[in-house]
């Protein structure tokens, strides 16, 4: 990041601050560089996050298609991107006219951030690549699910990175929108949609039949062949009539922004705690940033951790959710183990395992 | 897919979490909070006939 130094009596002009980070991109992790959950997910179920903030989104009847989603290193040449999100069809399915079915990838913008573009014209830009050329669509949806906007883009050349830019109509204030810590707007990159869930109204906000609109009637049938792959990176949504260069953030800043929504603790660190009884000890675990809302807690493989009391090692058998506390800034976790003979208030040391399979997960995704 | 759900009370006797077991034997502690997506899933599961076990405080 270049820094322009201003002398005394010099005005700050647009030219002087051009290129400085100003968080203009409302999409978090648009460069797909953060993947806290893992880098490849086969046979994905609905809602599976692939890279942080981007998840596999599907619904409908009779779904047989199967996808693998992954963080890829296939990126547009000549750019600074290091990663993309890849969708790969592993079991094919053609949707046809009915079934209410759709497949795609969604990211959601929190209301506090969405507010920055509300009632303004926006532009979305991204790099995309697929062997399957043709028309694809993007669906913008509000919190109340009573306004939807469908836009189209075309992949012109097979297996070639192409940059797409779409200027959007003013984000309407009609309907029910969230401007705080709820979902401000969801952005669905449609890969396939059944005929009873599509629309031919492109480029303007729709207020009728919104709950059954998930793509354009021109959308390709991406799931029709196991040869099909789709890559995307550099997703940027900004309040402007044209797209500017993708705003790269330092990795730590990007990671921290992702951790507002999901935090996986997998550091090999020790926490000091205190026994609540001879079979239970509690410790504090602070979060790196304030989470969006009270998170869901998942304690994977507690027995991989270690509790030390009076010099004796014990493996936890689980945790006691009734004596644990989960806030937006930290968690207090009460772990269970077999009796060690020591009583209440005896200090204990809890050594947390460094392993992707034993991580503690805190999920406050939209 | 949710297999079972149990209300969890805190030390003040307040109903604060739901321990949810999913197929695959994953267990999550979900806060009773409308802004939490897993809680929203539980509400949907209840609408479709699921029952949250309440063992009291």
């Amino acid at each position: 990041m270049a820094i322009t130094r201003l002398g005394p009596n010099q005005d700050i002009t647009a030219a002087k601050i051009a290129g400085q980070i100003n968080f203009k991109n409302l999409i978090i992790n648009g460069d797909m560089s953060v993947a806290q959950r893992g880098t490849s997910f086969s046979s994905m179920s609905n809602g599976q996050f692939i890279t942080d903030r981007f998840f596999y989104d599907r619904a409908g009847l009779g779904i047989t298609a199967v996808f693998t989603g992954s963080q890829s290193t296939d990126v547009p040449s000549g750019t600074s991107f290091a990663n993309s999100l890849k969708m790969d069809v592993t079991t094919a399915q053609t949707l046809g006219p009915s079934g209410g079915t759709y497949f795609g990838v969604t990211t959601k913008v929190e209301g506090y951030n969405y507010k920055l573009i509300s009632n303004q014209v926006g532009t979305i830009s991204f790099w995309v690549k697929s062997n399957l050329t043709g028309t694809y669509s993007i669906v913008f949806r509000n919190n109340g699910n009573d306004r939807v906007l469908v836009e189209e883009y075309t992949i012109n050349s097979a297996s070639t990175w192409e940059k797409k830019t779409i200027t959007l109509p003013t984000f309407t204030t009609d309907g029910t929108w969230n401007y705080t810590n709820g979902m401000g707007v969801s952005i669905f990159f449609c890969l396939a949609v059944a005929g009873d869930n599509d629309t031919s109204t492109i480029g303007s906000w729709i207020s009728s039949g919104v709950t059954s609109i998930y793509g354009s009637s021109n959308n390709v049938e991406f799931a029709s062949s196991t040869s099909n792959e789709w890559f995307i990176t550099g997703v940027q949504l900004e309040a402007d009539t044209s797209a500017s260069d993708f705003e790269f953030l330092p990795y730590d800043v990007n990671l921290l922004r992702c951790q507002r929504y999901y935090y996986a603790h997998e550091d090999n660190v020790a926490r000091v705690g205190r026994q609540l009884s001879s079979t239970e000890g509690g410790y504090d675990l602070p979060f790196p940033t304030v989470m969006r809302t009270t998170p869901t807690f998942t304690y994977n493989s507690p027995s991989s951790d270690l509790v030390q009391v009076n010099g004796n090692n014990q493996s936890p058998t689980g945790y006691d959710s009734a004596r644990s506390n989960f806030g937006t800034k930290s968690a207090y976790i009460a772990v269970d183990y077999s009796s060690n003979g020591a009583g209440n208030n005896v200090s204990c040391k809890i050594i947390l395992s460094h392993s992707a399979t034993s991580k503690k997960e805190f999920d406050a995704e939209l | 897919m949710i297999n079972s759900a149990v209300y969890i009370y805190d030390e003040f006797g307040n109903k604060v979490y739901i321990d949810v077991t999913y197929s695959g034997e994953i267990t999550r502690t979900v806060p009773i909070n409308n802004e939490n997506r897993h809680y929203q899933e539980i509400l949907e599961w209840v609408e479709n006939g699921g029952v949250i076990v309440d063992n009291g405080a």
Side-chain angles (χ1 to χ4, degrees), chain A residues 37 47 49 178 181-183 292-299 319 321-326 363-366, chain B residues 8-12 16-19 22 26-41:
Chain A
R37 296 166 178 85
F49 277 81
N178 182 288
N181 68 334
M183 193 275 285
R292 180 187 67 85
T293 189
T294 317
T296 295
F297 176 58
T298 307
Y299 196 155
Y319 71 102
S321 47
R323 300 185 84 174
S324 299
N325 299 92
F326 305 100
D363 186 328
E365 290 284 0
L366 288 158
Chain B
I8 301 297
Y9 290 77
D10 67 12
E11 288 154 311
F12 299 103
V16 285
Y17 306 121
I18 300 170
D19 273 355
Y22 295 79
I26 300 166
T27 300
R28 291 178 176 144
T29 298
V30 178
I32 298 175
N33 177 342
N34 285 320
E35 290 296 341
N36 182 289
R37 68 189 182 111
H38 296 115
Y39 181 60
Q40 292 166 7
E41 281 174 12

Side-chain angles (χ1 to χ4, degrees), chain A residues 37-38 41 44-56 69 85 106-108 261-262 363 365-366, chain B residues 37:
Chain A
R37 296 166 178 85
F41 303 91
M44 291 189 294
S45 53
N46 184 41
Q48 173 65 57
F49 277 81
I50 307 165
T51 53
D52 274 48
R53 309 294 297 120
F54 287 80
F55 65 92
Y56 170 50
L85 181 155
T106 290
T107 187
K108 293 180 177 179
Y261 305 92
Y262 174 85
D363 186 328
E365 290 284 0
L366 288 158
Chain B
R37 68 189 182 111

Side-chain angles (χ1 to χ4, degrees), chain A residues 80-141:
Chain A
S80 298
F81 295 106
N83 296 106
S84 61
L85 181 155
K86 176 185 178 183
M87 289 286 282
D88 182 16
V89 181
T90 53
T91 300
Q93 180 182 13
T94 300
L95 299 184
S98 63
T101 310
Y102 57 84
F103 306 116
V105 172
T106 290
T107 187
K108 293 180 177 179
V109 178
E110 185 177 347
Y112 285 125
N113 295 336
Y114 170 72
K115 193 176 179 182
L116 303 174
I117 203 172
S118 174
N119 207 23
Q120 295 186 63
V121 173
T123 297
I124 189 165
S125 55
F126 53 93
W127 287 86
V128 67
K129 178 173 103 166
S130 177
N131 59 296
L132 183 64
T133 59
T135 302
Y136 292 72
S137 52
I138 309 173
V139 181
F140 299 79
R141 188 179 307 275

Side-chain angles (χ1 to χ4, degrees), chain A residues 339-360:
Chain A
S339 177
N340 53 30
N344 293 4
N345 296 324
V346 172
S347 294
C348 56
K349 177 180 173 185
I350 295 101
I351 302 167
L352 306 179
S353 166
H354 172 72
S355 161
T357 56
S358 64
K359 61 192 173 189
K360 290 120 197 85

Side-chain angles (χ1 to χ4, degrees), chain A residues 31-304:
Chain A
D31 64 356
M32 312 297 172
S33 60
V34 178
Q36 292 186 82
R37 296 166 178 85
T39 55
S40 184
F41 303 91
S42 58
S43 304
M44 291 189 294
S45 53
N46 184 41
Q48 173 65 57
F49 277 81
I50 307 165
T51 53
D52 274 48
R53 309 294 297 120
F54 287 80
F55 65 92
Y56 170 50
D57 197 354
R58 76 169 191 207
L61 302 171
I63 295 174
T64 55
V66 179
F67 295 85
T68 293
S70 60
Q71 183 193 43
S72 171
T73 54
D74 189 332
V75 293
S77 61
T79 68
S80 298
F81 295 106
N83 296 106
S84 61
L85 181 155
K86 176 185 178 183
M87 289 286 282
D88 182 16
V89 181
T90 53
T91 300
Q93 180 182 13
T94 300
L95 299 184
S98 63
T101 310
Y102 57 84
F103 306 116
V105 172
T106 290
T107 187
K108 293 180 177 179
V109 178
E110 185 177 347
Y112 285 125
N113 295 336
Y114 170 72
K115 193 176 179 182
L116 303 174
I117 203 172
S118 174
N119 207 23
Q120 295 186 63
V121 173
T123 297
I124 189 165
S125 55
F126 53 93
W127 287 86
V128 67
K129 178 173 103 166
S130 177
N131 59 296
L132 183 64
T133 59
T135 302
Y136 292 72
S137 52
I138 309 173
V139 181
F140 299 79
R141 188 179 307 275
N142 70 343
N143 183 285
N145 203 8
D146 55 11
R147 292 294 184 281
V148 72
L149 167 68
V150 180
E151 295 283 0
E152 292 179 339
Y153 67 93
T154 303
I155 293 184
N156 300 298
S157 304
S159 304
T160 305
W161 280 104
E162 299 175 14
K163 185 172 184 183
K164 303 299 174 187
T165 299
I166 305 168
T167 298
L168 311 168
T170 300
F171 277 89
T172 181
T173 55
D174 295 337
T176 303
W177 295 82
N178 182 288
Y179 304 110
T180 59
N181 68 334
M183 193 275 285
V185 66
S186 73
I187 303 167
F188 173 62
F189 291 89
C190 180
L191 295 177
V193 57
D196 53 356
N197 260 350
D198 65 18
T199 181
S200 57
T201 303
I202 307 301
S204 58
W205 288 96
I206 302 168
S207 60
S208 176
V210 169
T211 56
S212 60
I213 295 174
Y214 288 90
S216 159
S217 53
N218 298 316
N219 208 97
V220 296
E221 285 264 17
F222 176 76
S224 61
S225 167
T226 56
S227 301
N228 290 344
E229 299 174 333
W230 178 84
F231 300 79
I232 189 166
T233 193
V235 183
Q236 179 156 287
L237 175 63
E238 55 197 304
D240 208 331
T241 54
S242 61
S244 58
D245 289 344
F246 184 83
E247 184 177 63
F248 287 99
L249 300 179
Y251 179 80
D252 57 327
V253 175
N254 200 22
L255 175 62
L256 202 62
R257 298 192 83 198
C258 292
Q259 287 172 331
R260 175 169 172 78
Y261 305 92
Y262 174 85
Y263 169 52
H265 184 98
E266 49 181 303
D267 267 349
N268 185 210
V269 297
R271 307 293 302 175
V272 174
R274 228 169 35 156
Q275 289 217 138
L276 301 168
S277 71
S278 63
T279 61
E280 194 167 83
Y283 66 96
D284 283 310
L285 194 62
F287 303 151
T289 189
V290 179
M291 300 200 76
R292 180 187 67 85
T293 189
T294 317
T296 295
F297 176 58
T298 307
Y299 196 155
N300 296 286
S301 185
S303 61
S304 300

